Amino acid sequence: MKNKSSAFPYGVWMVIFIVLPLLLVGYFAFTTEDGAPTMENISKVGEFMPVLMRSVWYAVVATVVCLVIAYPLGYLISRGAGSRRRTLLMLVILPMWMNFLLRTYAWMTLLENNGLINRFLGFFNVGPFEMINTSGAVILGMVYNYMPFMILPLYAVMSKIDQTTLEAAQDLGSSFVSTFARVILPLSMPGVKTGIIMVFVPSVSTFIISRMLGGGGNLLIGDLIELQFLGNAYNPNLGAAISLVLLVIVLLCMSLLNQFGGEEEMEGALLDK
């Protein structure tokens, strides 16, 4: 009884802020303005498939870049000494203390045609380069803003890998590459999966980054949803339908990611080797 009563507030929270909003999205997605049932909203989503595919592609690229950069950083932080580890963690977390919009505005100042980067390159008679309002700027904004969400899960998992396990692999004749492939990588996969989800989900649904760094030529699905609720093309039913399709795509991607096996399976495979 005590466990059930202690979980009651969490259940109420989930119903109010998760279940009810999802039910409202589903209701508006399958009804007209008058409340009549319809499938027209879902069928219209196909008209925006290029925008949806662009959003997924940008999110995939940003997630891969974050993983490539964050993996060695997470490993170095996890192997660091106490004071060094705390300092590196502080440097990772520090940008998150600043407002999201301010961080994105800072990149606008850096990337614009008369920005700091082009001014610096001008001293060497190079440029100016068109960096703002490009797909590269949007992906850069995603990588910068969501990088900590990849580093921190990797660090949390890698810090639990016992140093004696790595030393035992080396004592048995394994090179660093072999130790990485057969010990570090399998044991760090839960952090990899968590980091991928935490970066991909906000990246595929972002709208502030694409608006500020991508201009009108890099419309993403998040911008499209916002236009249906707050823009001139006010149509909350269509916006709910697009949101529902995006939710299904995200759930499918997460399900596909989970097919690579859980933590216990990876550890079992490691022990078999």
Side-chain angles (χ1 to χ4, degrees):
M1 288 295 296
K2 187 175 181 180
N3 292 335
K4 291 183 179 180
S5 61
S6 62
F8 180 75
Y10 300 102
V12 174
W13 179 276
M14 292 178 62
V15 169
I16 295 176
F17 294 102
I18 298 178
V19 178
L20 287 181
L22 288 176
L23 290 177
L24 287 174
V25 169
Y27 170 77
F28 281 105
F30 292 102
T31 58
T32 63
E33 295 181 1
D34 301 327
T38 182
M39 292 294 294
E40 184 179 358
N41 297 320
I42 299 296
S43 63
K44 285 184 178 179
V45 177
E47 300 176 5
F48 308 104
M49 194 57 63
V51 178
L52 183 59
M53 292 297 100
R54 185 188 305 123
S55 302
V56 173
W57 172 243
Y58 284 10
V60 169
V61 173
T63 303
V64 171
V65 173
C66 283
L67 180 60
V68 170
I69 297 175
Y71 198 95
L73 288 177
Y75 179 78
L76 290 175
I77 296 174
S78 67
R79 298 298 106 183
S83 59
R84 179 186 175 189
R85 178 184 299 189
R86 288 190 294 270
T87 301
L88 292 175
L89 279 176
M90 178 66 68
L91 293 176
V92 171
I93 299 173
L94 192 60
M96 300 175 66
W97 294 357
M98 187 183 300
N99 184 272
F100 184 90
L101 290 176
L102 291 179
R103 298 201 306 267
T104 310
Y105 269 122
W107 275 109
M108 290 179 64
T109 304
L110 291 171
L111 298 176
E112 62 186 4
N113 295 336
N114 294 322
L116 296 178
I117 295 178
N118 274 322
R119 288 182 182 179
F120 175 76
L121 295 175
F123 290 116
F124 305 97
N125 294 323
V126 178
F129 295 105
E130 187 72 26
M131 293 181 286
I132 197 72
N133 298 334
T134 62
S135 58
V138 176
I139 295 173
L140 176 63
M142 293 177 180
V143 170
Y144 173 76
N145 282 292
Y146 302 131
M147 180 68 74
F149 299 114
M150 181 69 77
I151 295 177
L152 294 178
L154 287 170
Y155 158 76
V157 171
M158 290 179 177
S159 61
K160 297 178 182 179
I161 301 177
D162 197 335
Q163 183 64 30
T164 57
T165 303
L166 305 181
E167 294 173 356
Q170 294 172 356
D171 291 341
L172 292 173
S174 294
S175 63
F176 176 79
V177 175
S178 179
T179 302
F180 171 78
R182 303 184 66 178
V183 179
I184 299 175
L185 183 60
L187 292 179
S188 64
M189 282 305 294
V192 172
K193 292 164 61 177
T194 302
I196 289 175
I197 292 172
M198 293 182 68
V199 173
F200 178 80
V201 172
S203 295
V204 76
S205 58
T206 186
F207 61 94
I208 293 295
I209 295 175
S210 55
R211 180 194 302 170
M212 297 174 65
L213 298 180
N218 290 276
L219 186 72
L220 299 184
I221 197 67
D223 302 297
L224 195 59
I225 294 172
E226 186 204 17
L227 288 174
Q228 307 305 318
F229 287 98
L230 302 176
N232 295 328
Y234 181 75
N235 190 345
N237 300 88
L238 179 58
I242 300 173
S243 302
L244 188 63
V245 171
L246 179 61
L247 175 63
V248 172
I249 291 176
V250 170
L251 291 177
L252 288 175
C253 292
M254 293 174 61
S255 176
L256 179 63
L257 187 63
N258 288 331
Q259 297 302 315
F260 290 98
E263 182 176 0
E264 296 81 9
E265 294 177 3
M266 295 174 189
E267 292 180 354
L270 179 63
L271 293 174
D272 291 339
K273 294 180 180 180

